[in-house]
Amino acid sequence: MNSLASRLRLYKELPVWVVEDHHDVLPYIYRAMGSKHLPISDITLVHLDSHPDMLIPVNMPADTVFDKDALLNKLSIENWIMPVVYAGHISHVVWLHAFWAQQIKEGKHSFSVGKDISTTTIRVTSTDTYFLSDGLYVTEDQLDNKKSLQLDVFTVQMFDTNCHEEENTGVSSCKKSRFEEQNRSILENSGSPLSCDIPKAVSYDFSTEEHSVTNAKCSHSDNCRLGAKDAKDLSDVSYLKTKVNDCFERSSILEDILKAVHKGKAYVLDIDLDFFSVKNPFKDIYTQEEYEILTQLYSFQKPAVDASEEVLLDCVDYRTHQLEDLEAAFADLCDDDSEETILKWASRPGMELLEQLVHSLKERNETPDYEMVHQAGLTCDYSELPHHVSTEEEIDGLIRAVKHLLKNMPKPTLITIARSSLDEYCPPEQVNSIQERTLNMLQSVYGTLDIHKEYLTS
């Protein structure tokens, strides 16, 4: 890592802070900065989550970030990272997610985060749909006090559950890391990040789709092998293609993560337990018909990939007014949901379905929570919230994948964990098991941990 990191204090044991709501990890990150265990700038956040959490409190003055207590009172689970970027503390975010989370385009994103000179709020120059749909995009010349952010987005592939760890050594029988503990320099290391199991007895020529049983191995790593599920897989060229492609993709991802970690002065490992299994809680609250109406009311039309700056600004302006009108409508309904109020708002262009939605809600509940309805609608823009309740095998596969990833990385300064179970993003019936397995995995990688279960006292 950056040489300045050598001047930071070291914890005797690696601290792990376990909270319920994800934004509640921030006080412990700030505490580590205050105690000089973390630097006040150039922090890398390695963020494992089914959600990016990178929205921004829409109307919060940018300067709020310089009053820690005021800031913490303004944040929520979906918007706690970007204000810390604008404050100058975090400069690199690596968002790692499973295949079901697709909110931000895969790959590397470089953009500015700053104060919008016209609204004094925090805005970004990223044109990704994630930010456009929330009305957060502005042009570079519209920002003051700009901070540069590098955002890397990668999918973590589940570890092959056919692989196992040697009972005595704890080393995976399908792969041993090339990244030795005594030498972490990315300039001197390369290899496979997770679980590349290439059949050691298979060679293949994908250009001619010919393969034969030999002693050939994957060309980029002596210890990287594609593993056949059984003997018949050796004759499945498409299977082998997929496996070898996964091998090279994983190698590249780990190298990118290591670059991010080494570039900063320190890094925080942040895990939301819904990374392993996730629900869209609003699907349990509203009927399918109601949810479909919300999707139509809050729909966002993506601009073309090559849209001009003018088109992007028009898109954001239209989206901002759309969301403001919807917020005003449901705020009005909180005070008075009489037929007159319903029809007043339903008569507006694009809000015709509001009448049908409110009538459906009132059939099931005389006093609907319209504020929650609006919050649910905000998640129904260009894509639905991730919803994938994992099987035990899938959870185990992701636990193993994360373990092998972390074993190839330097030790973080601290670890933060969010349960996300009270709002049911992580299935409540699974959260304790996932937490236990996650903590056991972390202990197997890092040894003794200083675990603080803060959710038990809050």
Side-chain angles (χ1 to χ4, degrees):
M1 288 190 195
N2 190 299
S3 60
L4 292 176
S6 62
R7 298 203 288 266
L8 295 171
R9 296 176 62 193
L10 299 176
Y11 289 109
K12 184 177 180 180
E13 295 177 346
L14 179 59
V16 181
W17 299 94
V18 188
V19 302
E20 180 58 46
D21 296 330
H22 209 152
H23 60 293
D24 287 336
V25 304
L26 267 186
Y28 306 106
I29 294 175
Y30 273 99
R31 182 184 297 180
M33 287 191 284
S35 63
K36 301 190 185 313
H37 289 91
L38 278 176
I40 62 171
S41 64
D42 287 336
I43 297 171
T44 295
L45 182 71
V46 178
H47 177 62
L48 286 78
D49 199 326
S50 281
H51 311 90
D53 297 350
M54 297 189 72
L55 296 177
I56 298 167
V58 176
N59 298 314
M60 184 187 79
D63 289 348
T64 305
V65 304
F66 303 118
D67 182 336
K68 184 187 72 173
D69 293 332
L71 174 63
L72 295 177
N73 287 329
K74 292 284 188 180
L75 301 182
S76 188
I77 57 174
E78 77 282 0
N79 60 25
W80 62 274
I81 295 176
M82 295 299 271
V84 186
V85 172
Y86 176 68
H89 305 310
I90 293 174
S91 59
H92 202 141
V93 176
V94 180
W95 178 38
L96 303 177
H97 60 87
F99 69 85
W100 53 75
Q102 301 291 332
Q103 297 94 312
I104 298 178
K105 185 178 179 181
E106 199 88 352
K108 300 180 181 181
H109 308 254
S110 299
F111 55 94
S112 297
V113 182
K115 180 198 289 189
D116 184 343
I117 58 178
S118 64
T119 65
T120 72
T121 55
I122 301 172
R123 292 294 183 266
V124 303
T125 59
S126 173
T127 60
D128 190 272
T129 307
Y130 178 78
F131 299 107
L132 290 174
S133 67
D134 225 47
L136 299 176
Y137 166 78
V138 297
T139 56
E140 193 85 30
D141 60 3
Q142 192 69 16
L143 290 181
D144 190 22
N145 193 25
K146 291 181 286 189
K147 304 296 191 303
S148 296
L149 176 65
Q150 178 65 39
L151 168 63
D152 299 337
V153 181
F154 302 121
T155 301
V156 175
Q157 303 293 339
M158 293 180 190
F159 196 88
D160 188 347
T161 53
N162 290 319
C163 297
H164 63 277
E165 290 187 346
E166 303 277 342
E167 186 172 342
N168 296 324
T169 66
V171 177
S172 168
S173 64
C174 29
K175 176 216 138 220
K176 295 183 180 179
S177 171
R178 291 183 62 194
F179 292 81
E180 298 298 329
E181 184 66 29
Q182 67 270 24
N183 188 355
R184 294 293 190 177
S185 169
I186 58 171
L187 297 178
E188 299 174 12
N189 290 283
S190 62
S192 108
L194 299 179
S195 57
C196 304
D197 324 319
I198 304 177
K200 59 185 177 182
V202 179
S203 67
Y204 21 71
D205 181 352
F206 289 154
S207 62
T208 61
E209 300 211 343
E210 294 179 355
H211 59 281
S212 60
V213 177
T214 70
N215 290 319
K217 298 178 182 177
C218 174
S219 61
H220 90 282
S221 171
D222 290 340
N223 295 300
C224 180
R225 297 175 182 146
L226 283 170
K229 290 171 288 185
D230 50 55
K232 70 175 182 287
D233 285 328
L234 297 180
S235 62
D236 186 346
V237 173
S238 63
Y239 169 78
L240 295 175
K241 281 185 178 180
T242 300
K243 285 298 238 177
V244 82
N245 287 339
D246 286 349
C247 175
F248 284 101
E249 180 181 354
R250 287 167 170 171
S251 176
S252 175
I253 288 172
L254 178 61
E255 186 174 344
D256 287 334
I257 295 172
L258 285 172
K259 286 179 181 178
V261 167
H262 283 273
K263 184 178 179 182
K265 298 174 185 174
Y267 89 95
V268 174
L269 176 61
D270 174 68
I271 304 172
D272 194 313
L273 298 183
D274 72 17
F275 168 85
F276 301 99
S277 181
V278 64
K279 288 179 65 176
N280 178 348
F282 296 116
K283 288 194 169 184
D284 290 337
I285 298 174
Y286 304 109
T287 67
Q288 182 176 346
E289 181 185 34
E290 290 165 354
Y291 197 80
E292 289 174 353
I293 292 174
L294 281 172
T295 300
Q296 294 180 62
L297 285 172
Y298 286 81
S299 66
F300 173 71
Q301 189 65 41
K302 297 180 185 180
V305 175
D306 58 351
S308 67
E309 189 176 279
E310 182 181 0
V311 169
L312 292 173
L313 290 173
D314 286 344
C315 169
V316 167
D317 185 63
Y318 177 84
R319 180 61 171 173
T320 299
H321 285 100
Q322 177 191 11
L323 295 180
E324 287 175 348
D325 286 347
L326 286 163
E327 181 179 19
F330 285 109
D332 204 1
L333 290 169
C334 286
D335 297 330
D336 173 22
D337 63 354
S338 65
E339 195 68 19
E340 181 182 358
T341 305
I342 296 169
L343 292 175
K344 178 185 74 174
W345 286 103
S347 65
R348 296 199 174 198
M351 297 180 69
E352 296 83 2
L353 290 172
L354 188 66
E355 180 181 7
Q356 182 182 346
L357 174 63
V358 174
H359 287 162
S360 177
L361 293 169
K362 293 182 75 171
E363 283 179 6
R364 298 190 298 111
N365 185 343
E366 290 185 4
T367 56
D369 185 342
Y370 293 112
E371 184 178 352
M372 180 176 288
V373 176
H374 177 58
Q375 293 303 315
L378 291 173
T379 70
C380 303
D381 38 28
Y382 63 96
S383 67
E384 291 187 5
L385 285 175
H387 184 87
H388 183 94
V389 179
S390 300
T391 65
E392 291 298 302
E393 184 180 41
E394 288 174 326
I395 294 170
D396 186 54
L398 283 172
I399 290 281
R400 293 185 182 201
V402 173
K403 177 179 178 179
H404 281 267
L405 173 65
L406 298 180
K407 285 172 72 173
N408 287 327
M409 293 171 58
K411 192 174 184 179
T413 299
L414 74 157
I415 300 172
T416 54
I417 296 176
R419 286 165 57 85
S420 298
S421 62
L422 294 184
D423 51 18
E424 298 192 10
Y425 283 103
C426 183
E429 67 276 11
Q430 293 182 323
V431 67
N432 288 331
S433 171
I434 294 174
Q435 177 177 309
E436 181 180 6
R437 280 186 272 182
T438 300
L439 291 174
N440 288 340
M441 175 269 292
L442 292 172
Q443 287 174 323
S444 72
V445 174
Y446 300 120
T448 304
L449 304 173
D450 181 18
I451 300 172
H452 304 264
K453 297 181 178 180
E454 293 299 301
Y455 64 93
L456 295 176
T457 60
S458 46

